[in-house]
């Protein structure tokens, strides 16, 4: 890519000083952000788009998460050696599969909706009690654990990290639910941090032989302890799939949605053919990473220092 991989510095230097760069830059984990700033570029990271009503048409992460949530269930359905729907046939009744979705953000809600469309019984868990109504509106059962979380999301609408002991207790309580599932879709992410571990190796051993885990957090370390990014492996009879860039498997709609996100953002930044962005605008200030030779985004600065 432009900001990573072999030859990235050469491609990076080809951008003229003062140019504006808008894209998916992985700003909270990519050390190239410093070089980008030093090169004199004005850079906007689409990953930092605030989750507010006015920015919905610009929210590229939600666009890609929608596609990933759908695709994850299709992948699970193709892998599980059972049908998803209830079927009553002359040869007997085929019971519905049970799916368990961990995380009810954009990807999780789309996974729930897709699994329900295919006829599975669906359970879903999220540490934010506020999403219970959304989960139930899709026909799924919201799983409640006896846990007390700290602040579950930040001011921009993204999940916040919890203490290590919280995740340990959560993992233990989820283990019983996991043992009943045929297909598990995990979607839990915290911006700028490694994905929380929700499924241990011990929990995988308790799961049904033939069941499958599709870990949508694979690129960020995985929600399952055993996930190998980009690989499908089998452990204790359970298939664990760690897809990378799953939205790219539906390229037509991924491109269509991303183009709309970019064009909507460009309309905010460009007035009368000129780049005249207003740094008082929440959307602009949240996404602006580099300007006039400096890293101007506090979240990015802090994240790179921690890294």
């Amino acid at each position: 890519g432009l900001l990573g991989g072999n030859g990235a510095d050469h491609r990076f230097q080809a951008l003229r000083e003062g140019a504006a760069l808008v894209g998916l830059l992985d700003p909270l984990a990519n050390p190239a952000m410093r070089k980008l700033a030093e090169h004199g570029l004005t850079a906007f990271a689409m990953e930092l788009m605030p989750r507010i009503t006015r920015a919905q048409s610009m929210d590229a992460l939600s666009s890609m998460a929608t596609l990933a949530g759908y695709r994850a269930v299709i992948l699970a359905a193709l892998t599980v050696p059972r049908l998803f729907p209830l079927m009553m046939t002359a040869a007997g009744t085929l019971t519905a599969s049970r799916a368990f979705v961990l995380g009810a953000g954009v990807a999780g809600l789309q996974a729930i909706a897709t699994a329900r469309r295919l006829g599975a019984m669906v359970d879903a868990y999220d540490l934010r009690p506020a999403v219970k109504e959304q989960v139930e509106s899709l026909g799924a059962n919201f799983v409640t654990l006896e846990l007390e979380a700290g602040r579950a999301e930040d001011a921009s609408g993204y999940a916040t990290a919890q203490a290590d002991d919280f995740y340990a207790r959560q993992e233990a309580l989820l283990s019983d639910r996991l043992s009943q599932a045929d297909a598990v879709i995990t979607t839990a992410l915290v911006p700028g941090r490694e994905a929380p571990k929700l499924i241990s190796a011990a929990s995988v051993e308790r799961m049904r032989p033939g069941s499958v885990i599709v870990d949508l957090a694979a690129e960020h370390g995985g929600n399952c302890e055993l996930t190998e990014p980009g690989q499908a492996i089998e452990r204790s009879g359970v298939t664990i799939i760690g897809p990378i860039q799953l939205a790219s498997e539906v390229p037509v709609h991924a491109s269509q949605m991303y183009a709309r996100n970019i064009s909507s953002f460009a309309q905010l930044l460009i007035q009368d053919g000129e780049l005249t962005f207003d740094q008082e605008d929440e959307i602009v200030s949240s996404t602006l990473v580099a300007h006039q030779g400096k890293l101007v985004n506090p979240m990015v600065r802090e994240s790179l220092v921690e890294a």
Side-chain angles (χ1 to χ4, degrees), residues 195-209:
K197 291 293 183 283
L198 307 179
I199 305 176
S200 67
S203 293
V204 171
E205 290 182 0
R206 293 186 60 197
M207 291 178 65
R208 295 176 178 177

Side-chain angles (χ1 to χ4, degrees), residues 5-129:
N6 294 331
D9 284 347
H10 173 72
R11 292 190 291 273
F12 183 80
Q13 299 295 335
L15 297 172
R16 67 175 178 83
E17 183 178 346
L21 175 65
V22 177
L24 294 167
L25 308 180
D26 190 20
L28 301 180
N30 192 344
M33 293 299 101
R34 296 191 185 282
K35 291 184 180 180
L36 184 151
E38 292 167 359
H39 193 63
L41 297 175
T42 294
F44 297 91
M46 295 296 285
E47 294 98 329
L48 301 180
M49 192 67 63
R51 292 249 165 100
I52 59 176
T53 301
R54 193 163 56 89
Q56 284 183 340
S57 64
M58 311 172 198
D59 190 348
L61 286 187
S62 288
S63 294
M64 298 305 106
T66 295
L67 300 176
Y70 164 83
R71 194 68 176 180
V73 173
I74 300 302
L75 186 56
L78 288 171
T79 306
V80 170
R82 297 168 53 92
L83 298 179
F84 263 36
L86 169 71
M87 288 190 181
M88 296 182 180
T89 77
T93 298
L94 309 181
T95 58
S97 292
R98 183 172 290 278
F100 190 18
V101 178
L102 299 179
V106 176
L109 291 172
Q110 188 58 229
I112 292 167
T114 303
R116 290 292 298 138
R117 289 188 194 106
L118 291 176
M121 296 181 290
V122 182
D123 295 315
Y125 169 73
D126 195 291
L127 59 82
R128 301 166 298 163

Side-chain angles (χ1 to χ4, degrees), residues 149-172:
R151 188 180 180 191
E153 62 183 23
D154 61 21
S156 295
Y158 292 94
T160 55
Q162 302 293 316
D164 289 343
D165 59 344
F166 173 88
Y167 288 124
R169 176 67 176 152
Q170 177 180 250
E171 193 277 328

